Amino acid sequence: MRRLPYAAFDLAVVLTGACVLLLFGLRLYGEQTLAQQADKLLLPQSTVLLAADGSVMSRIPIPGGGYRENAESGELPPLLLETVMAVEDRRFYEHKGLDYRGLARALASNVSAMRVEQGGSGITQQLARSLFLSRKQTVARKLKEAAIAMALERHLSKAEILRLYLNETYLGRGQYGVKRAAFYYFGVRDLKELTPAQVALLAGIPKGPSIYNPVDRPELAVKRMQEVLGIMKSNGLITAAEERRALQIGLHGAALSPGSAAEYSAAGYVDAALQEASARTGIPLAKLREGGYTVTTGLNPSAQRAAEAAFRNPANFPPDAGGERVQGAVVILDSRTGEVKAMVGGRDETGGGLNRAVSAARQPGSAIKPILVYGPALESGRFTPDSLLPDRPASYGGYSPGNIKGVYRGTVTMNTAVERSINAPAVWLLNEVGVTPALAFAAKLGIELPAEDRQLAIALGGTHGGVSPLQMAQAYGVFASGGRFSTGHLVREVRDGSGHLLYQCTPESQQVISARTAEMMTAMLVGAVNEGTGRKARLSGRMVAGKTGTTQLDIQGVPSAANRDAWFAGYTKGWSAAVWIGFDRTDRNHYMTDGGGTAAALFAAIMGPALNALP
């Protein structure tokens, strides 16, 4: 018996040492976790892309999914802060990360109920778990949670912890943080404008985001709101009259239905705009997507809706072949500024996929003739739309181009050659003007071809690398704007999460060809639409200038009518556009028999509704 006190003493010493070691280990773990994963305190938030009219065209999901918009401490109203603390952690300003009284109360409640009813975790612990740990209920996780919570309290102020918590917390339907949730549920941008009922709704959601948000389970959201309003009144945060008023309005007047999704996806436009913004600011694309930036673009919602609606209609495209779908792309830009108003990079396009609107890999066919043949000829001063050109078989050092169906007219005017898209006069004219001056002219319009293209076949669109719809729309925009070139661009400005301006586009145009050349070319291209191959591009009551383009498959064993690419590039007053149609992979099993006329019809199907929607 005399040894019992000694054994108890020894046990107490051992237990004390173990506790000291445990506390030391917990402190060390918490400090190391914060030091090694400090980046997790920088909460990713959704970058937003705005259309030209200021409407949200896209909100980029944060890693893992969902959307977040961080609020600064000064944006958080006292009523919201006090309510969240009253609901989640009444002694938040009294403890150092662990509320021992709250933990003891939760433990007693759970033991009494013989099941887990209360977690006992305060705001700092919840933040530690959310940022650094899983939600798995284990003793080890609870110890880690405590360690990180105490480390957070040592390194951050209470205000910083509370702000992080309110920005990190999940509030249902993919919405993270009170700022994003307030706008999503209520349409409230300024958190200081939240009503007591709205504050109660927000503060009640974290207990069960999937069941207490006011959209999925409105009846449970109201019940939870009533509970929180009671807590607010008992803590002196609102008066009895304010509680009654909030209870009377319920969800009516407090919650709004979430904003409807945009009527367009603009997936290709979004990808291209983010890439352009990254190039202009030097911000890596991955950081740009999750840094809470605001990217304002030149997108015109009416034009984008019209383009996407036309692309959804299978009647606007040739039939599929070989189990593959005929694809397409379109770019519409303001020919005066170069600002891209609409872009579709493919049928059923998705973010991160192939954007055919900017991929310079398609043969332009006769749509290139105004850029490489007729434009240079007019600019040389040696030719006019009335100049007579030979239309007969000819050979140029082994290159012997032919007209479609072998039809030759002997002699035609340049105007007729453009309207009818005749091949022989185009090649003869390029030979007369010279390939070098023609390539230099095209470069002024934004289409730079490599040395391999220094041959006469380019008169008919036979290029090595190909061109993109963006390049074609940009080039035709020079004719539309009286000879002035404006670089095609999508981004107007980029601001960081605090609203600071990081980049602003200053559109510049430069006179690259004579206004006279642009005027004569426009007159011929109007004729090509009204009387020639581009008739399907006509728009009622509007001037349309443009040119079709078709490239043949030219593979032995397939019909002579088999085509690779179909184009229409043209413009109306103010806007130029280029449409491409074809298969991603063209071979003997995947080709079209449609040509540029189908592309011209798609141009009309897009531009008609787009222009009619303009004010």
Side-chain angles (χ1 to χ4, degrees):
M1 292 294 293
R2 286 182 297 176
R3 293 181 178 179
L4 189 59
Y6 294 104
F9 176 78
D10 291 341
L11 179 61
V13 170
V14 171
L15 290 175
T16 300
C19 288
V20 170
L21 288 174
L22 176 62
L23 291 174
F24 177 77
L26 289 176
R27 184 183 180 100
L28 182 62
Y29 175 82
E31 291 294 330
Q32 287 181 337
T33 299
L34 284 192
Q36 295 171 359
Q37 303 181 50
D39 60 311
K40 291 189 175 181
L41 297 178
L42 302 174
L43 302 181
Q45 56 180 328
S46 302
T47 285
V48 177
L49 285 89
L50 304 180
D53 62 1
S55 62
V56 175
M57 59 180 281
S58 180
R59 195 177 300 274
I60 309 301
I62 59 176
Y67 304 90
R68 176 186 286 116
E69 187 174 355
N70 291 335
E72 299 299 326
S73 295
E75 297 180 78
L76 300 168
L79 181 61
L80 177 62
L81 296 173
E82 295 292 340
T83 298
V84 169
M85 287 187 288
V87 171
E88 297 291 338
D89 193 345
R90 286 180 291 176
R91 281 175 290 277
F92 175 68
Y93 274 97
E94 299 173 19
H95 61 69
K96 298 297 183 182
L98 301 180
D99 182 5
Y100 297 105
R101 290 167 59 185
L103 289 169
R105 184 180 65 254
L107 178 62
S109 175
N110 293 339
V111 170
S112 175
M114 299 298 291
R115 64 176 185 270
V116 178
E117 286 191 334
Q118 299 182 27
S121 296
I123 285 175
T124 312
Q125 287 176 267
Q126 292 180 52
L127 179 63
R129 179 178 63 239
S130 179
L131 289 179
F132 299 97
L133 303 168
S134 71
R135 302 190 69 85
K136 187 177 181 180
Q137 291 280 4
T138 65
V139 173
R141 197 222 72 193
K142 292 296 291 185
L143 289 174
K144 292 177 180 178
E145 178 184 298
I148 297 172
M150 290 187 290
L152 285 171
E153 293 275 351
R154 287 191 295 271
H155 290 275
L156 301 177
S157 68
K158 288 288 187 179
E160 290 173 322
I161 291 172
L162 191 54
R163 178 185 62 82
L164 277 171
Y165 172 78
L166 290 173
N167 286 330
E168 166 62 16
T169 189
Y170 180 59
L171 294 165
R173 296 189 68 83
Q175 311 305 308
Y176 287 86
V178 293
K179 186 172 183 178
R180 177 64 196 149
F183 179 72
Y184 182 82
Y185 292 123
F186 315 135
V188 173
R189 274 293 184 196
D190 186 348
L191 294 176
K192 294 177 182 178
E193 296 178 357
L194 290 170
T195 66
Q198 292 169 338
V199 167
L201 277 166
L202 288 177
I205 294 176
K207 183 178 180 180
S210 64
I211 61 176
Y212 291 128
N213 75 73
V215 174
D216 292 326
R217 301 291 294 275
E219 70 287 351
L220 292 180
V222 169
K223 185 177 180 180
R224 178 63 175 155
M225 180 185 74
Q226 293 169 345
E227 295 175 1
V228 175
L229 286 170
I231 294 173
M232 294 167 72
K233 190 190 76 169
S234 65
N235 281 268
L237 302 178
I238 59 174
T239 65
E242 288 174 321
E243 182 191 26
R244 284 194 303 272
R245 189 156 53 249
L247 291 172
Q248 287 172 354
I249 65 173
L251 288 183
H252 177 68
L256 303 173
S257 297
S260 60
E263 299 174 53
Y264 53 87
S265 69
Y269 195 112
V270 168
D271 284 349
L274 287 173
Q275 291 170 4
E276 182 179 309
S278 176
R280 297 292 181 269
T281 61
I283 300 170
L285 188 58
K287 182 179 179 181
L288 187 66
R289 295 180 64 89
E290 61 185 59
Y293 298 93
T294 298
V295 180
T296 301
T297 74
L299 181 135
N300 180 284
S302 297
Q304 187 67 29
R305 279 192 291 268
E308 292 186 9
F311 268 62
R312 287 193 297 269
N313 186 354
N316 290 327
F317 291 86
D320 300 339
E324 291 189 20
R325 198 176 198 189
V326 175
Q327 279 297 339
V330 63
V331 171
I332 303 173
L333 59 77
D334 188 322
S335 54
R336 297 157 295 192
T337 66
E339 193 169 72
V340 176
K341 313 310 292 183
M343 174 185 289
V344 178
R347 299 170 73 184
D348 301 322
E349 66 177 356
T350 57
L354 173 62
N355 189 343
R356 301 164 187 83
V358 298
S359 175
R362 307 295 168 182
Q363 300 302 307
S366 293
I368 203 71
K369 290 176 181 176
I371 299 168
L372 279 172
V373 179
Y374 299 114
L378 295 173
E379 187 76 353
S380 72
R382 296 164 51 198
F383 299 92
T384 72
D386 296 323
S387 294
L388 296 177
L389 310 178
D391 180 21
R392 60 180 66 94
S395 181
Y396 303 89
Y399 174 54
S400 302
N403 285 348
I404 296 175
K405 298 181 181 180
V407 176
Y408 296 89
R409 299 161 183 82
T411 302
V412 296
T413 65
M414 183 191 296
N415 194 59
T416 299
V418 172
E419 284 185 7
R420 306 298 175 186
S421 194
I422 308 172
N423 290 340
V427 178
W428 179 88
L429 190 56
L430 177 59
N431 188 56
E432 287 293 308
V433 172
V435 171
T436 298
L439 291 176
F441 183 94
K444 293 178 181 179
L445 275 58
I447 295 182
E448 298 189 28
L449 299 178
E452 294 88 339
D453 286 327
R454 292 184 176 277
Q455 35 82 23
L456 292 177
I458 60 174
L460 308 183
T463 64
H464 281 77
V467 296
S468 71
L470 176 58
Q471 288 176 308
M472 292 295 283
Q474 181 180 258
Y476 271 70
V478 175
F479 300 133
S481 61
R484 301 190 69 85
F485 174 83
S486 299
T487 302
H489 63 277
L490 298 84
V491 178
R492 286 186 176 179
E493 67 175 36
V494 180
R495 293 181 181 271
D496 64 16
S498 300
H500 298 129
L501 184 65
L502 303 179
Y503 165 76
Q504 186 171 46
C505 177
T506 304
E508 295 182 358
S509 65
Q510 182 180 1
Q511 194 77 35
V512 293
I513 64 174
S514 71
R516 177 63 175 159
T517 294
E519 181 183 352
M520 290 188 291
M521 182 60 68
T522 294
M524 289 195 294
L525 293 176
V526 168
V529 171
N530 290 340
E531 306 294 338
T533 58
R535 285 190 293 270
K536 292 183 179 179
R538 289 179 293 189
L539 298 174
S540 178
R542 294 184 184 274
M543 180 278 289
V544 178
K547 182 76 183 68
T548 56
T550 305
T551 59
Q552 294 179 300
L553 180 55
D554 195 24
I555 293 181
Q556 190 173 3
V558 301
S560 60
N563 297 322
R564 293 176 180 269
D565 306 282
W567 285 85
F568 182 82
Y571 48 95
T572 63
K573 186 177 181 180
W575 283 2
S576 62
V579 173
W580 166 83
I581 298 174
F583 284 97
D584 285 334
R585 180 174 60 88
T586 304
D587 53 31
R588 62 180 61 255
N589 297 315
H590 304 91
Y591 60 82
M592 306 176 296
T593 55
D594 293 53
T598 299
L602 181 55
F603 171 94
I606 296 169
M607 295 293 277
L611 293 168
N612 289 338
L614 292 178

